[in-house]
Amino acid sequence: MANAAPRWQRRTFLVIAMLGIFFFMAAVHYLELIPDLGFQVNPGFWPENKSPNNEEYLQSESNKEHNPFLTMFPERSPGNQELFLGYVPHSGFHNQRIELQNALRLAAYLNRTLLLPPLFSFAKSLKIGWSPPSVMLTRWSQLTREYSQSCRNLDPTQLAPITLREYSAMTPEERVRDCTVYHSWTLTPWTYVFDIQKVIQGVVGIGGQTEPIRVFDRSNVTIAWMAEHLGITDLDKEVYWLNETSQYDFEILDDSEADYNLHPEATSYPEILREYGQGLLLSDLKARPERVVHFGSLFGSDRIKASSQAHVELQHYIDASLDIWNQKIFDATKVAGSQIEKWRVLTARAAPGFLGAHIRVENKAFINDAGQNLELLAQWLRNMTNLDQKPSTNNTSSIQQPAPTQAQLPPNTTEPQEQEPPTFLERCMGQPPESPLLYVATDVHQPRLSPVFVDFLNEFPCTMILSDFPESVRLLEEVRNPVDNIRMLPFLTALLDANLVAHGRQFHGTEGSTFSQYISNPLWPHFHPS
């Protein structure tokens, strides 16, 4: 016993050993949360290089300096000689995003301050679609909470949904007092979704840009707002209105290095205009003396024809910079990514990571092409499966059932069936290892119950959808806009869908869908920079 260590040394050793075990187990648990292979967290995943270990996230609601529901542009007075650019947002998220991209570009090209509107999120029945600017401005003026504060604390899940017909039949006075209407829309600053500050500061040095894009935060898109905050007193003299009579009335032509030979008195325009009725020269807009140049719609991916190298570089930078920047979306995506990697290992998928796809159906412009779009997706998956095979193997996928065609689809293809569908694991377990692991983002409610997806899911049983990730969805269920107490879940699920599918090692979208276009660029390249 003479060589035995003193009791205090033995206790110290025991404490150190226990701490070592604790930290080892904690590290293992943390590593399990980080997905492998096809779903890796890259340095740009967390905004402003904030990591998940930070005590307070950049967009935490308790962090008042960066509360995502509050604008990041402080209120200010307009400058004496400051010139502005305005437009009227309309339609869904991705249409509004394209308008924002175009507006940021125009603000830089024209050296005007952008009147930055809020993002309007809404139920389908409250959509502000394209109309002549005066009509859209009237709709925006009806977005008020002034007479419905009693609705604030009601549970929206207990309210009967409102149809487009019912909403259209209401008078403006009824709309602003109805509690279902109250909980069917909300306004948030664009900084809730995108890092606008990074975008407007980052243009310096791109295309010869010497200063950031200027913005003036606009809480509502009304004439009354301009009168109050910009001091506009004479609309005819101080505002140059571009009052289009159709959604694609104007196309803006960059004549900084090209001569389009367009003049105000011209009655015909060059072939480059295609679907647009009129050509507006950038030089003419730049010469306008009015304090505000105000458009109606700025929607259209080809609305502005950049021709000079400087303007093309600015366009590419702005378009690529509007990747999702929302901490709740990041968190929910990370949880789903961890689950996907565990499923990939559990179901013994041969290929790394997962594939991503978007199928748009619930719209008259897409429903007739649903079968064709699914067949295109199926063919892409068959090709991807063949590419994933080892070079020595000439076998194609062992699953050979044909994907649906439009002629094979039954009527009412988006109406769900009655029976409970098999879960993802019930479908995927035991499938050949080469059967691809796929995540599908779609606007179809309950895809596994929808006849439109039946044959497709039979051929590709290892297909995941958003409802397979209830933990991720629950993270969004708790989010409310503190300004009006609106549940954000209905408006965030599409962003989660997009962010998650963009992590797939390859992506296939629906032609003509702005949602697919956004995933293709900038989201997918953001997560796959190589």
Side-chain angles (χ1 to χ4, degrees):
M1 298 294 293
N3 294 329
R7 181 178 299 175
W8 67 271
Q9 289 184 354
R10 295 199 301 272
R11 288 178 176 174
T12 302
F13 176 79
L14 181 61
V15 170
I16 292 174
M18 292 178 67
L19 286 173
I21 293 172
F22 170 79
F23 284 114
F24 174 78
M25 295 301 293
V28 171
H29 175 70
Y30 176 72
L31 288 173
E32 287 180 347
L33 294 177
I34 300 181
D36 194 11
L37 299 172
F39 202 96
Q40 298 175 347
V41 178
N42 65 48
F45 193 81
W46 302 95
E48 296 294 321
N49 294 322
K50 295 283 184 176
S51 76
N53 294 322
N54 280 95
E55 183 175 347
E56 185 170 56
Y57 293 146
L58 179 62
Q59 292 205 17
S60 169
E61 290 183 30
S62 62
N63 185 350
K64 298 303 181 185
E65 184 180 355
H66 296 291
N67 186 327
F69 289 100
L70 303 178
T71 178
M72 294 185 180
F73 300 104
E75 186 174 348
R76 66 177 178 88
S77 300
N80 290 333
Q81 303 298 320
E82 193 169 10
L83 301 177
F84 298 93
L85 173 74
Y87 69 100
V88 187
H90 63 85
S91 304
F93 172 85
H94 292 288
N95 289 41
Q96 293 182 60
R97 171 187 57 81
I98 290 171
E99 288 189 279
L100 174 64
Q101 289 175 187
N102 287 336
L104 287 167
R105 290 170 58 193
L106 270 182
Y109 296 168
L110 300 177
N111 192 26
R112 283 179 172 264
T113 300
L114 174 61
L115 298 176
L116 183 65
L119 167 62
F120 175 46
S121 301
F122 54 88
K124 290 182 179 179
S125 56
L126 272 70
K127 174 182 176 179
I128 298 180
W130 180 88
S131 298
S134 59
V135 178
M136 292 193 292
L137 287 169
T138 299
R139 287 292 309 278
W140 271 93
S141 69
Q142 295 170 354
L143 298 179
T144 176
R145 305 293 195 191
E146 184 178 356
Y147 306 104
S148 53
Q149 284 302 306
S150 59
C151 302
R152 178 184 176 90
N153 295 321
L154 294 181
D155 182 358
T157 62
Q158 303 302 312
L159 299 173
I162 189 170
T163 66
L164 176 60
R165 179 176 296 181
E166 291 170 337
Y167 181 78
S168 300
M170 288 180 172
T171 65
E173 291 76 16
E174 291 173 330
R175 292 174 181 174
V176 298
R177 288 176 168 82
D178 186 88
C179 289
T180 300
V181 172
Y182 179 97
H183 285 280
S184 297
W185 65 274
T186 192
L187 299 177
T188 55
W190 273 109
T191 48
Y192 181 65
V193 181
F194 301 137
D195 191 351
I196 300 295
Q197 287 182 316
K198 179 195 73 174
V199 177
I200 65 176
Q201 296 287 338
V203 299
V204 176
I206 295 177
Q209 190 79 6
T210 59
E211 61 180 30
I213 298 173
R214 301 185 305 276
V215 300
F216 194 98
D217 194 67
R218 183 178 194 173
S219 59
N220 205 325
V221 186
T222 63
I223 294 175
W225 182 92
M226 288 198 298
E228 179 181 355
H229 292 86
L230 302 183
I232 300 292
T233 57
D234 191 330
L235 291 173
D236 293 330
K237 291 184 178 180
E238 297 182 75
V239 182
Y240 179 61
W241 296 97
L242 290 128
N243 293 315
E244 69 264 21
T245 57
S246 67
Q247 184 171 348
Y248 300 105
D249 218 352
F250 302 116
E251 182 175 40
I252 300 165
L253 304 175
D254 176 11
D255 61 335
S256 57
E257 294 183 3
D259 184 5
Y260 288 98
N261 295 316
L262 295 184
H263 303 284
E265 66 275 9
T267 57
S268 61
Y269 298 93
E271 189 175 336
I272 192 173
L273 293 177
R274 292 192 294 275
E275 64 181 311
Y276 293 91
Q278 302 182 53
L280 299 176
L281 292 178
L282 201 59
S283 59
D284 289 341
L285 293 173
K286 200 166 187 176
R288 297 303 311 186
E290 292 86 355
R291 289 185 63 199
V292 182
V293 170
H294 207 296
F295 287 83
S297 172
L298 276 178
F299 174 70
S301 298
D302 57 351
R303 170 78 67 169
I304 306 171
K305 295 294 183 186
S307 61
S308 71
Q309 184 61 33
H311 289 173
V312 169
E313 289 178 6
L314 274 172
Q315 174 185 355
H316 290 166
Y317 168 78
I318 291 172
D319 291 355
S321 297
L322 295 181
D323 48 283
I324 293 173
W325 187 69
N326 180 284
Q327 195 66 56
K328 292 293 185 180
I329 298 295
F330 294 161
D331 295 343
T333 306
K334 185 167 180 284
V335 169
S338 177
Q339 185 63 62
I340 289 174
E341 179 57 21
K342 290 177 181 177
W343 281 343
R344 188 190 69 82
V345 174
L346 183 63
T347 60
R349 295 305 92 204
F354 68 98
L355 299 172
H358 169 240
I359 290 293
R360 181 89 154 92
V361 177
E362 296 284 351
N363 182 284
K364 61 183 179 181
F366 296 96
I367 192 167
N368 290 334
D369 295 328
Q372 177 183 347
N373 288 331
L374 277 169
E375 171 57 30
L376 290 173
L377 172 58
Q379 187 57 54
W380 177 75
L381 289 169
R382 297 179 197 119
N383 293 338
M384 292 299 300
T385 300
N386 291 336
L387 291 174
D388 286 337
Q389 301 301 304
K390 294 180 180 180
S392 59
T393 302
N394 294 323
N395 295 333
T396 58
S397 172
S398 60
I399 306 172
Q400 297 294 336
Q401 297 178 5
T405 63
Q406 178 61 28
Q408 294 171 318
L409 293 175
N412 299 321
T413 55
T414 61
E415 290 298 323
Q417 301 168 350
E418 294 298 329
Q419 69 270 23
E420 189 69 22
T423 65
F424 166 77
L425 283 180
E426 289 172 343
R427 280 182 169 272
C428 190
M429 289 295 288
Q431 295 296 327
E434 66 269 20
S435 183
L437 184 61
L438 171 71
Y439 180 84
V440 170
T442 181
D443 57 349
V444 175
H445 182 60
Q446 295 183 311
R448 290 200 181 98
L449 289 177
S450 174
V452 75
F453 274 95
V454 169
D455 291 340
F456 178 85
L457 293 175
N458 286 338
E459 181 174 358
F460 302 102
C462 294
T463 297
M464 304 169 289
I465 54 178
L466 186 60
S467 60
D468 291 326
F469 304 96
E471 291 186 23
S472 294
V473 175
R474 275 194 291 271
L475 288 176
L476 304 183
E477 285 178 345
E478 65 190 38
V479 183
R480 286 181 178 266
N481 185 341
V483 176
D484 50 21
N485 203 35
I486 299 301
R487 293 173 68 246
M488 295 300 297
L489 176 64
F491 313 123
L492 293 178
T493 50
L495 294 181
L496 174 58
D497 233 3
N499 207 54
L500 182 53
V501 77
H503 280 79
R505 57 190 172 91
Q506 295 291 337
F507 173 72
H508 177 92
T510 299
E511 184 177 359
S513 165
T514 55
F515 188 86
S516 286
Q517 292 169 8
Y518 179 58
I519 297 168
S520 297
N521 185 37
L523 284 192
W524 193 89
H526 175 73
F527 295 115
H528 307 272
S530 60

